[in-house]
């Protein structure tokens, strides 16, 4: 999985199917806990539509849920996610902010909020949101990966290095994270470290083009003693377009 893609922290389709069976068995509605935990279901039908990627239907049904209960933080979050996957960035941001205001404290909400800010060039807000994501979900490699990207974009390379190393400690098998690590090393003037990472990455995965392109650029720049070196990582490992 691309670490910088939007994500929910669980399989909505599976969870909604299970919840649907429980509704039939118990004859009682299954709704989100007051904490808004992302492993809960805000509405079976709405979350099922989201889980099977029927985003127009997910939007329609989640809009009904929040009209009925404007304080359902989880429904606002899921509505925002559906808006985002439908390329409605304004709606996505509005609903994420409402979910946060209502007290939802799930790591993946702040991951997605941070990615949205990063896509729109707001690195300061992206860093704030992604730092919250890493605090709430420190065991998730993608939260550290995306925070590293935000720090790198802001020119805060020492902090970017810390986060990308944390991401790789959790999941060493991440080509994008290895590529990012090499870029950060190069930006910090650690040419030997950058070269070693790219060389190993290309040897392990010869078809991984971002590393090949960056390494070729790096070798040309260092051969020419370029005064400023910053390989074109962002084009290859930035938050994915939807």
């Amino acid at each position: 999985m691309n670490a910088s893609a939007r994500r929910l922290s669980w399989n909505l389709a599976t969870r909604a199917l299970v919840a649907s069976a429980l509704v039939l068995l118990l004859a009682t509605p299954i709704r989100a806990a007051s904490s808004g935990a992302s492993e809960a279901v805000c509405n079976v039908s709405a979350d099922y539509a989201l889980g099977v990627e029927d985003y127009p239907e997910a939007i329609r049904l989640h809009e009904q849920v929040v009209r009925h209960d404007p304080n359902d933080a989880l429904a606002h979050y899921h509505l925002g996610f559906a808006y985002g996957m439908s390329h409605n960035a304004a709606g996505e941001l509005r609903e994420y902010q409402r979910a946060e205001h209502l007290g939802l404290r799930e790591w993946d909400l702040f991951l997605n909020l941070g990615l949205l800010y990063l896509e729109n060039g707001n690195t300061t807000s992206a860093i704030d949101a992604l730092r919250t994501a890493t605090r709430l979900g420190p065991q998730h490699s993608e939260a550290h990966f995306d925070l590293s990207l935000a720090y790198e974009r802001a020119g805060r390379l020492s902090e970017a290095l810390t986060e990308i190393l944390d991401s790789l400690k959790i999941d060493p098998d991440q080509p994008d994270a290895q590529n990012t690590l090499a870029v950060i090393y190069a930006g910090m003037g650690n040419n030997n470290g950058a070269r070693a990472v790219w060389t190993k990455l290309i040897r392990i995965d010869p078809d991984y083009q971002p590393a090949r392109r960056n390494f070729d650029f790096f070798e040309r720049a260092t051969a020419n003693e370029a005064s400023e070196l910053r390989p074109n990582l962002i084009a290859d490992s930035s938050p994915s377009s939807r």
Side-chain angles (χ1 to χ4, degrees), residues 137-150:
Q139 73 277 23
H140 294 284
S141 62
E142 56 266 59
H144 296 283
F145 175 92
D146 292 325
L147 180 54
S148 178
L149 284 183

Side-chain angles (χ1 to χ4, degrees), residues 14-118:
T14 301
R15 183 74 61 159
L17 282 172
V18 172
S20 180
L22 289 173
V23 169
L24 292 174
L25 176 65
L26 302 174
T28 57
I30 306 298
R31 295 193 53 79
S34 59
S35 65
S38 63
E39 292 188 357
V41 174
C42 67
N43 176 274
V44 170
S45 298
D47 282 352
Y48 178 77
L50 189 58
V52 299
E53 300 180 3
D54 185 351
Y55 298 120
E57 181 68 358
I59 290 170
R60 186 184 71 82
L61 292 173
H62 280 98
E63 285 177 342
Q64 290 181 358
V65 174
V66 297
R67 279 198 298 270
H68 175 73
D69 183 2
N71 294 319
D72 189 331
L74 186 62
H76 282 290
Y77 171 34
H78 290 174
L79 177 57
F81 187 92
Y83 279 142
M85 299 306 290
S86 300
H87 309 285
N88 181 347
E92 182 181 16
L93 178 60
R94 180 184 67 247
E95 297 303 321
Y96 288 169
Q97 290 175 333
R98 286 175 176 170
E100 180 183 5
H101 178 73
L102 288 167
L104 189 62
R105 302 291 293 175
E106 292 301 311
W107 77 273
D108 48 309
L109 165 63
F110 290 94
L111 178 87
N112 293 328
L113 181 59
L115 288 173
L116 180 58
Y117 283 133
L118 197 58

Side-chain angles (χ1 to χ4, degrees), residues 150-228:
Y151 279 138
E152 194 275 340
R153 289 222 184 149
R156 297 165 61 173
L157 296 184
S158 294
E159 292 157 299
L161 178 61
T162 297
E163 293 301 325
I164 205 64
L165 290 174
D166 284 346
S167 181
L168 286 165
K169 284 178 187 176
I170 297 166
D171 180 8
D173 188 20
Q174 297 182 78
D176 284 348
Q178 293 285 352
N179 187 38
T180 303
L181 175 61
V183 166
I184 293 168
Y185 278 152
M188 298 177 76
N190 183 356
N191 290 352
N192 290 336
R195 183 176 287 108
V197 173
W198 272 316
T199 300
K200 181 179 179 181
L201 183 54
I202 292 168
R203 184 174 69 250
I204 293 172
D205 187 357
D207 296 325
Y208 182 62
Q209 292 304 311
R212 283 193 170 277
R213 286 193 292 269
N214 281 334
F215 190 43
D216 288 346
F217 179 92
F218 170 83
E219 291 288 63
R220 290 196 305 271
T222 52
N224 295 330
E225 297 183 347
S227 60
E228 183 175 345

Side-chain angles (χ1 to χ4, degrees), residues 119-140:
E119 289 169 2
N120 288 283
N122 188 344
T123 54
T124 299
S125 294
I127 287 169
D128 287 344
L130 291 167
R131 286 179 65 186
T132 301
T134 61
R135 286 197 299 270
L136 294 172
Q139 73 277 23
H140 294 284

